[in-house]
Every structure is written in C-alpha cells, then in structure tokens.
C-alpha cells in the first residue's frame, strides 16, 4: 500500500523478538552468543574453583594454627612438673584457658597418656577420656587430623609432652570445630558471587561491543552470505587477465592477484612485504613508492613490456590512502611489429651496461667491460683502442696527429680465432676515408653497413682486410670515445657471419649512446689512475726508505697502503744527541694526494722539532700549534682579496691527524713517550710476555685546548717496543679490542728477529682488502755498555779543567781512541770553562763511546750559549767557534734542572786540528765565548 503522497511506508520489525531473531541469524549475533556462553562457563568454573580453594585453605589454616598452639603449649616450661603435681587440673586449667583465648582456638586440652582430660574448654569434660586414636602422640609423634565424633567434629592437633629424660608424660590437644571453619568459607561466598556477577556483566558487555563492531563491519550479513561474497571476490579478482596490485600507505603490498604474480614474478610470500623488497624493476618500484597517478606507462619486467596504470585508493576509517596498480602484458603487441622487442633489448642492454661498465677504477678493465657487455647481444666482435696517455692516466694531448695512433686495450668476440690484431698492438688510422678516421675527425659514430664497399677501410691494410672479409666480417660501427670534449680512444663494433643482419641507423645511435657511457667511466678511471700514481710517487718520496743503523735500537718496519689507495700513515726513527733515538708513528685522516702531502708536512715538522731536543709532550704541543696555524692560514680568504668563485678549489686543511712520539735513552734504559690521539704501543718483554702500557692519550693534532702528557717507562735490554696505526687492528669485520688481543698473541713468541716479527704480525693480522693504511714499527731496545760511559763531577774552580781534561785523555786511551784525544781535550776545555764561568753547580762531564765519541757538559743553568764570530781585535768569543769547527755536531738540550751542551767527535774526521803557534790548551780557558 502507499500513502497519499504515493511513497511506500517504511517497514519496521514488528517487535523486539523479530529484531533479536534477525540478530541471531547474522554473523555478529552468532559471535555474541558464542562469546557470552564462553564467558559464563569461564566465570562459573572460576567461582567453583575459588570456593573449593577457600575451603581447602581454611582447613589447612586450622591445622597449622592448632599444631602451632599445641607445640607451643606442650613445650612450655614447667608443664611436665605440673603434670606430676597432686592436682594438675588446678594448675593447668587457667593456663589452658588463657592459651585458648590468645590463639583463637575452640579448645586446648591437656591429657594423660591414656587420654583422660586434665583441662578443657568445657569443664564438664574434665576427667573424661578423649575419643579417637591417640597412639601416635603417645608414641612421641605429633599429628593433626579432622576428627569426627563426640563431643564435636573438629580439626585438632595432638602433641606429646616430654619430661627431662624424654619420656612422654602427657598429651596436649588443641583444635577448631568444623562448624567454625565453615563459617570462614561462608563469609567469602557473597564476595565470590559478587565478583562472578561483575565479571559476567563485564564479559557480556565486552562481547556486546565486539558484536556491535563486527555487525558494522559485516553490515549484518550472515556467515553464508559472507562466504558467498568472498567466493565472488576471489573468482573475479583471480580470473581476469589483468594484474592487480594494492599497496598500502606504508608501501607494503596488501594484495596481488594471480596475473600480477605471473607478470612480475613475485615470490610466494610477497604480501605484507615492502615494495622495495619484491625484486621489481627500479622504475616500477619507484612508481609504486611515489604514489603518483600513471596511465599506460610502459615498464620492463624481465622479458616483458607492461602497460601500467596507477590510481590512489579512497581513504577508509581515517586511514591514509594507498594505491592500486593494474598491469597489462603488451609483449605480444611488440612482437607483432618487431620494433618494440628490439627497443626492449636495447633498453635492457643499456641497463646492463650501466651496471657492468665502470665497476673498477682501472682503465684497461673498463675497456674490457665495454667489449664484454656488447658481445654477443649487439655485436659479434668488439675492439677498444685507447691513446697511450690515457693508459698511463695522463690527459690526452691535443697535438695534431695524436689520434692516428692508439693501443688496442680490449677485444671480445663470439669466437677466439678472429683475424683482428691482438690486444697490445698499436693501431694506426692513417687513411682519411676509413670509418675509424672519419669518426675521429667528425667526433661522432660512423656506420659502414657493408665492409665490402668500404674502400677506405680496405685500403688501410689490403692483406688484413681481405682475411677479415673471408672470415665473415661484413658490417662495422666506429664510435669515438670522448669525455668533456676530449677524445680518449675508439670503440669498433663488428658483425660477422654469426649475425647476418647488418647494422642500421638505429644501431648507430645505440652504439653512440653506449660509447658515451663507457667514455665517462674510462675518463673517471684515467683520472683516478693519474691521482693514484701521483699519490704513490709523492708518498714514496716522503716515507723513509731506509732506517738509520743505530746502537740504541734494532728496528724493522712495514707499510702497506689501503686497497683504495695510499693514505697518510707514517713512521720514523730519528737519531738524537747522547746516543738516544726518537720513535715516531702517526696517522692522517683520509686517502689520496692530500693525505700523503699532509703526512710529508707532519713528518718534516717532527724532524725539525726533534732537532730542538725537547720532551715528547712539548714536541706534540708545538706540532699541534703548527697544524692549527696551517689550518687557519689555508682556511682563510684567498690572497689579494680575490673572491673564490666557481672553478676555484677551496684549500683543504689538515682535517685530522694522530701521533705517538717516544724517546729512548740507551744509557739509562728509560723511554719517555706522549700520544696525540694515537693508540699506545705494545711492550714485548725478553721472555715473550706482552703488555700494553697505560699511556695518557691526548686529543688529536689540530684540535687544541688541552696540553699533552708524557709517560715514562723502563725498557729492559732485549725488550721490544711495537708502534702501529689502527689500520693494523680494526676493519669492518674486526673491532679494535679484538685486534689488540690478536696482536698480543702474535707478538708473544720470543726468539725472533724484528724482521721476522714484522712478517709474522702481517701474516696473522692482514685483511684481504684493507680499508686503511697499515704502519708497523718494531724497535728492540739495546743498552750502552757501562764500560763505554765515563763521568766526572767538576768543582767550581778553573783549575779543575786540566784535571778533567787529563782524566778524559786517559779514558780515551783506555778505549783505544787516542787519535781523538787532542780534539776531545780542546772541546772539553771550552765547554767546561764556559760552564764554570757562566753556569751553576753542579757541573758534570760525561763521555759516551758510541759509534762516535760524545762529549757532554751539564750544569744547573738554563742560559744557552750561542755561536758568534769574533773580530780580530776581540780578546775572546772564539770558544764555540772552535767547538763547531772540530766537532761533527754540537748542540744544547735542556733538562729539568739545567742544560747539557754536547758535541760529537767522529774517529774518521781526519787529522788532529792545528792550533796557532804558541797556543796551548790551558790558554784556551782565557778565550771568552
């Protein structure tokens, strides 16, 4: 029926019963009923379990309380005596009542061993025998039980009472009546019922909420209707001949039908994985990740060309939208025309070329990769010729005729018996109208589709070209390899009898594109070769080639550059005055020419500072200031106020460097060292024990702000100091601590020379492809023989000069160095006289018989003498001049308590010096400095 307006009246369920019946038929109603039933069963089972547990706990508590009270009363002092008294009831009844009230029990009874009561909560039971089996308690064993009988059912405990000799003289029985135990459980029943009802209400409400949400999701449909809808969805989704992908906002694949899996070759577990992990073509993956709209874009998938459409999905329930992609296989259409297939192959070949050409920074290998990638998919044979400067890493020269001569760098073919000139031969392009020469002159690829008609090519080498034609060569494309407008070489693509089709114009453009890509990689390799060669040359000129032969130490070293090229690690052994030696190792951050040049500057600076003979911590401080000054100067504005624009390379400062500087004295056996951010050394004792001394590690050089600290350590004779850089210890697969442990195990083998130890360390610790430089220096400490040391204390008296001089002459005669006596006396006279006149006590003289004779005069003054040239009218000022003339080296070093002036005299210096007539050594004391 219709109303007056003609509209149908709304139909509503006739009653609540009809609505409930409709709800029961839906999936949501069925889930609600099942959840409500499960909640009811769980709550009922839990309530029953709690009830029985409460009863069990009540009875167990009654047993424990009864036994504890009985034990306490039975062991009460004086109870055996009370049992032996004439009237035990009179003495024990008050005590039993008090104990019963205090413990909250229903009765506390004291019994004879026959069970007759002395006391009880009910006075009418006193004197009567207790029922039940009391034999265990009489035998001395306490027990608890649930007693049922007169006078009442109870949980009771019976404990024997023993006298001083351990005999059972009575019993104590305590307990709680069963009725009172039950009252405890009954008191908890309302709480259990209330909790069960509350849980039932909460569970039912939760089930109702879940059912309501499910009803909204399923729109009130039943299980059969949902199953039928899912069947229709699956049938439609997987039966269509078009791939469908649904991707969520988090870039995870939500759904893929069978056609999409087939077209994209997706793995079985593709759903819920990130798009980037599905192995898709990069362009296809980028399209899905970008979320942009696409219509019939052509994408590559394996050997298929796919037409791709992408649309965003509508937001649902407040969630961000994803995207849906549809795919159609258009490979069959491409096969009809044939051109799309060729384009796909060319595209795939370019993809492969991008990944396979230029994998290394080697010029020849890059040329080989170009020839390998084009055979056999594009050409049957490929030859690559490069200019000689390119092979060496140099910039090609623009000299006329330079391009007419090249070296064959690579050749690849489908067969190995080709008639072409082999790799390494010089190739000449002398005929102007040959395809190779035309390509070089024009700067672009040249096609010779029929080599039989290429008269210029045939005229270049009549005999060779005839053999090539007989072999089957019939088509050629010559491509000049140019980068930045500079010709680097030539690539020639040949087709022979294996491919009957000749090259065409489309092949020409493809070959030119392939050659352009390869030329960029070759130029990058050439530039790297040049930089690497420059860095190697620079570094070899800056690192020490031979270490000095010293009496203080026996040294051995190893240096290995990183796989990526030379770096800034360095080491050095510097002789110091007084037979001492400085051991240095350092590391500059980075690789290449800049790191090698920085290393050379630092090494030179260390050499210069070491001539000042300053302590290690002061030397590192001066080196730190120098680096900071260099960084400030090189990081400033360009000279002349010029603004740095494009093409002007910014100056590179010293980005970071570490250094360890150690000074060893063979006279005392003492070594002082300081570190600027560098790992400390390893000390190998003569017995093979290895330790890593604690060394204050300062900040790296150039950071500034904190002074450096020096640490001293005694080196036993025969011990070894091992200095190294961190590249020896750590790499991608090994951390610093693991490398330090391995180094300690490798060094802990005595009986080897330093050279053998260096070889063993590298054999054990060298990485297959080290990512950082490795510098290793091993120095075995020696001690100067005490018989080669002579010392004298000089009093502050000019007359003592002659005595010390004569003593020194006698010592030189004992050492067999008489030829140096006169020179040594001359030098000592001057130095001692100067110390007495201008220095402070104590004054000491020391002679060291090393490879040279070392004369040292020390005093407590810090005033340093200086060399000057006296005029002919001056009475003095010639002392240091004489020392400088007759000593091989001389100088001053400062100590904590003064200074030391030293001079080295060489036995091979020549004849004794000739003094002016009438001048003796004693007269030299009158010469002023």
């Amino acid at each position: 029926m219709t109303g007056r307006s003609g509209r149908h009246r709304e139909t509503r369920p006739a009653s609540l019963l009809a609505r409930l019946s409709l709800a029961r038929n839906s999936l949501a109603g069925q889930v609600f009923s099942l959840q409500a039933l499960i909640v009811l069963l769980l709550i009922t089972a839990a309530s029953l379990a709690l009830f029985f547990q409460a009863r069990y706990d009540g009875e167990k508590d009654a047993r424990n309380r009864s036994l504890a009270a009985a034990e306490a009363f039975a062991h009460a002092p004086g109870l055996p005596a009370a049992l032996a008294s004439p009237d035990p009831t009179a003495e024990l009844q008050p005590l039993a009542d008090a104990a019963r009230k205090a413990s909250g029990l229903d009765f506390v009874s004291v019994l004879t061993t026959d069970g007759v009561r002395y006391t009880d909560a009910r006075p009418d039971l006193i004197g009567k025998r207790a029922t039940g089996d009391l034999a265990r308690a009489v035998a001395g064993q306490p027990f608890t039980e649930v007693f049922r009988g007169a006078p009442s059912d109870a949980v009771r405990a019976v404990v024997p009472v023993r006298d001083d000799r351990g005999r059972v003289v009575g019993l104590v029985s305590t307990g709680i009546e069963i009725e009172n135990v039950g009252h405890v459980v009954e008191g908890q029943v309302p709480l259990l019922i209330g909790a069960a009802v509350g849980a039932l209400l909460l569970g039912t409400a939760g089930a109702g909420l879940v059912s309501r949400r499910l009803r909204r999701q399923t729109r009130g449909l039943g299980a059969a209707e949902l199953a039928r809808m899912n069947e229709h969805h699956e049938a439609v989704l997987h039966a269509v001949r078009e791939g469908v992908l649904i991707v969520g906002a988090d870039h995870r694949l939500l759904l893929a039908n069978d056609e999409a899996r087939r077209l994209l070759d997706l793995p079985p577990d593709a759903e819920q994985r990130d798009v980037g992990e599905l192995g898709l073509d990069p362009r296809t993956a980028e399209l899905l990740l970008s979320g942009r709209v696409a219509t019939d874009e052509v994408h590559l998938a394996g050997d298929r060309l796919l037409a791709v459409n992408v649309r965003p999905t509508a937001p649902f329930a407040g969630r961000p939208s994803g995207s849906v992609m549809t795919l159609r296989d258009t490979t069959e259409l491409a096969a009809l025309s044939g051109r799309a297939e060729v384009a796909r192959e060319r595209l795939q070949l370019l993809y492969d070329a991008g990944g396979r050409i230029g994998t290394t920074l080697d010029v020849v290998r890059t040329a080989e990769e170009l020839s390998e990638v084009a055979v056999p998919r594009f050409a049957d044979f490929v030859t690559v010729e490069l200019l000689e400067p390119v092979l060496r890493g140099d910039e090609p020269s623009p000299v006329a005729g330079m391009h007419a001569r090249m070296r064959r760098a690579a050749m690849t073919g489908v067969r190995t018996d080709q008639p072409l000139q082999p790799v390494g031969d010089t190739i000449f392009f002398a005929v102007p109208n040959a395809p190779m020469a035309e390509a070089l002159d024009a700067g672009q690829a040249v096609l010779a589709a029929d080599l039989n008609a290429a008269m210029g090519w045939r005229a270049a080498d009549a005999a060779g070209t005839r053999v090539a034609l007989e072999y089957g060569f019939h088509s050629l494309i010559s491509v000049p390899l140019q980068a930045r407008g500079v010709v680097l070489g030539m690539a020639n693509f040949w087709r022979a009898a294996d491919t009957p089709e000749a090259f065409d114009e489309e092949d020409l453009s493809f070959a030119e594109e392939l050659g352009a890509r390869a030329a960029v990689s070759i130029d990058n390799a050439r530039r790297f070769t040049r930089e690497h060669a420059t860095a190697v040359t620079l570094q070899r000129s800056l690192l020490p080639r031979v270490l000095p032969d010293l009496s203080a130490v026996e040294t051995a070293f190893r240096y290995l550059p990183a796989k990526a090229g030379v770096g800034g690690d360095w080491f050095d052994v510097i002789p110091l005055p007084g037979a001492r030696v400085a051991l240095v190792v350092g590391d500059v951050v980075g690789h290449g020419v800049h790191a090698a040049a920085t290393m050379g500057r630092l090494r030179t600076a260390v050499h210069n500072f070491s001539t000042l003979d300053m302590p290690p911590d002061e030397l590192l401080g001066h080196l730190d200031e120098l680096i900071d000054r260099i960084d400030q100067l090189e990081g400033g504005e360009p000279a002349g106020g010029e603004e740095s624009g494009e093409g002007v390379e910014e100056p590179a400062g010293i980005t970071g460097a570490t250094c360890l500087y150690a000074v060893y004295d063979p006279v005392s056996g003492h070594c002082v060292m300081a570190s600027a951010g560098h790992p400390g050394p390893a000390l190998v004792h003569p017995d093979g024990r290895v330790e890593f001394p604690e060394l204050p590690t300062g900040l790296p050089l150039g950071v500034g702000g904190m002074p450096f600290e020096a640490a001293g350590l005694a080196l036993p004779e025969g011990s070894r100091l091992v200095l190294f850089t961190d590249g020896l210890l750590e790499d991608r697969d090994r951390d610093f601590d693991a490398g330090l442990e391995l180094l300690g195990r490798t060094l802990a083998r005595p009986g080897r020379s330093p050279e053998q130890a260096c070889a063993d360390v590298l054999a054990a610790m060298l990485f297959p492809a080290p990512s950082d430089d490795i510098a290793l220096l091993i120095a075995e400490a020696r001690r100067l023989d005490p018989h080669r040391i002579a010392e004298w204390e000089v009093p502050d008296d000019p007359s003592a000069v002659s005595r010390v001089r004569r003593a020194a002459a006698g010592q030189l005669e004992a050492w067999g160095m008489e030829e140096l006596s006169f020179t040594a006396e001359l030098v000592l006279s001057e130095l001692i006289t100067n110390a007495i006149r201008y220095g402070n006590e104590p004054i000491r003289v020391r002679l060291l018989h090393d490879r040279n004779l070392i004369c040292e005069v020390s005093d407590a003054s810090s005033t340093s003498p200086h060399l000057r040239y006296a005029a002919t009218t001056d009475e003095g000022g010639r002392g240091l001049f004489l020392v400088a003339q007759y000593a091989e080296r001389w100088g001053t070093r400062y100590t904590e308590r003064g200074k030391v002036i030293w001079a080295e005299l060489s036995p091979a210096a020549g004849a004794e010096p000739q003094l002016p007539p009438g001048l003796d050594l004693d007269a030299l004391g009158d010469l002023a400095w």
Side-chain angles (χ1 to χ4, degrees), residues 594-729:
H594 176 65
T598 302
M599 175 270 292
R601 299 164 77 180
L602 293 181
R603 180 169 176 251
T604 302
V606 170
H607 266 274
N608 291 335
F609 287 136
S610 67
T611 59
L612 302 177
D613 208 352
M614 58 183 62
D617 52 338
E618 292 186 18
L619 185 142
L620 291 181
H622 286 288
L623 195 62
D624 182 64
E625 293 176 1
L626 174 64
I627 292 177
D628 184 60
R629 188 160 58 250
I630 291 175
D631 284 341
Q632 290 179 1
L633 293 175
E634 295 188 351
E637 296 182 357
E642 297 179 359
E643 296 184 358
S644 59
E646 295 183 1
V648 179
E649 186 177 354
E650 292 293 333
I654 301 177
T655 57
T658 63
C659 182
L660 176 65
Y661 187 85
V663 176
Y664 171 65
D665 186 355
V667 177
S668 63
H670 192 65
C671 182
V672 181
M673 62 186 71
S675 171
H678 199 85
L683 176 60
V684 184
H685 291 268
D687 58 358
R689 181 169 51 90
V690 180
E691 64 174 306
F692 296 92
E694 291 290 337
L695 182 65
T697 303
L699 296 175
L701 297 173
V703 176
M706 294 293 292
F708 298 98
E709 297 182 43
L713 127 119
L715 298 184
E717 187 170 6
S719 61
R720 294 175 180 176
L721 200 63
V722 181
L723 285 70
F724 51 85
T725 56
D726 55 3
L728 179 68
L729 303 182

Side-chain angles (χ1 to χ4, degrees), residues 541-561:
S541 66
L542 295 176
L543 281 174
R545 298 184 180 181
V546 179
L547 296 183
D549 187 12
L550 303 173
S551 302
V553 290
E554 180 185 355
T555 57
F557 69 92
R558 292 291 188 277
Y559 175 80
L560 293 178

Side-chain angles (χ1 to χ4, degrees), residues 89 93 97 117-128:
T89 300
Q93 180 65 24
D97 288 340
R117 296 183 177 89
Y118 284 138
T119 66
D120 198 87
R122 295 167 55 181
D124 58 310
L125 296 179
I126 296 175
K128 295 182 180 181

Side-chain angles (χ1 to χ4, degrees), residues 113-320:
T113 54
D114 296 333
V116 178
R117 296 183 177 89
Y118 284 138
T119 66
D120 198 87
R122 295 167 55 181
D124 58 310
L125 296 179
I126 296 175
K128 295 182 180 181
R129 186 181 300 277
T131 58
D133 184 11
L134 304 177
R136 287 182 291 172
V138 174
Q141 178 183 358
F143 67 91
T144 61
E145 65 178 355
V146 178
F147 173 77
R148 299 190 183 276
S152 62
D153 297 341
V155 176
R156 72 175 182 178
V158 183
V159 177
V161 180
R162 300 177 183 272
D163 58 7
D164 295 339
R165 290 179 291 179
R167 296 177 303 172
V168 177
V169 297
L171 304 175
V172 175
S173 175
T174 61
I176 300 175
E177 295 180 355
I178 294 296
E179 181 181 2
N180 293 333
V181 175
H183 289 335
V184 176
V185 178
E186 293 172 359
Q188 298 180 1
V189 170
L191 178 62
L192 293 176
I193 294 176
V197 172
L200 180 60
L201 293 176
L202 289 175
T204 305
L209 292 175
V210 173
S211 176
R212 182 179 178 184
R213 179 59 182 269
L214 185 60
R215 185 180 300 111
R216 286 203 306 268
Q217 296 289 339
T218 60
R219 302 182 183 273
L221 298 177
E225 294 170 317
L226 289 175
R228 186 166 55 255
M229 182 181 296
N230 182 66
E231 291 173 358
H232 294 167
H233 168 268
E234 294 291 332
V236 173
L237 184 64
H238 297 290
V240 295
R241 295 293 296 171
E242 187 169 291
V244 178
L245 294 177
I246 299 179
V247 179
D250 58 352
H251 300 149
R252 293 186 178 274
L253 180 63
L254 302 180
L255 183 143
N257 68 347
D258 295 341
E259 184 67 8
R261 292 177 180 274
R262 183 185 70 83
L263 293 176
L264 299 177
D265 194 20
L266 297 178
D269 58 343
E271 293 181 355
Q272 300 304 322
R273 291 176 60 179
D274 192 90
V275 170
E277 302 174 358
L278 299 178
L280 302 178
D281 181 78
R283 289 185 62 237
T284 307
E286 185 274 332
L287 177 60
L288 279 174
L289 293 174
S290 66
R292 63 181 176 86
V293 175
T295 302
D296 288 338
E297 287 190 8
V298 178
H299 286 250
L300 189 65
D303 57 350
R304 301 182 181 90
L305 291 175
L306 304 180
V308 178
N309 294 273
V310 179
R311 294 292 184 275
T313 59
F316 175 72
R319 299 176 183 175

Side-chain angles (χ1 to χ4, degrees), residues 897-917:
R897 300 182 180 179
K899 66 178 180 298
V900 177
I901 304 178
W902 55 270
E904 285 191 16
L905 307 179
S906 173
E912 294 183 354
Q914 300 295 325
L915 292 179

Side-chain angles (χ1 to χ4, degrees), residues 22 80 200 508 565 567:
L22 182 62
L200 180 60
L508 182 68

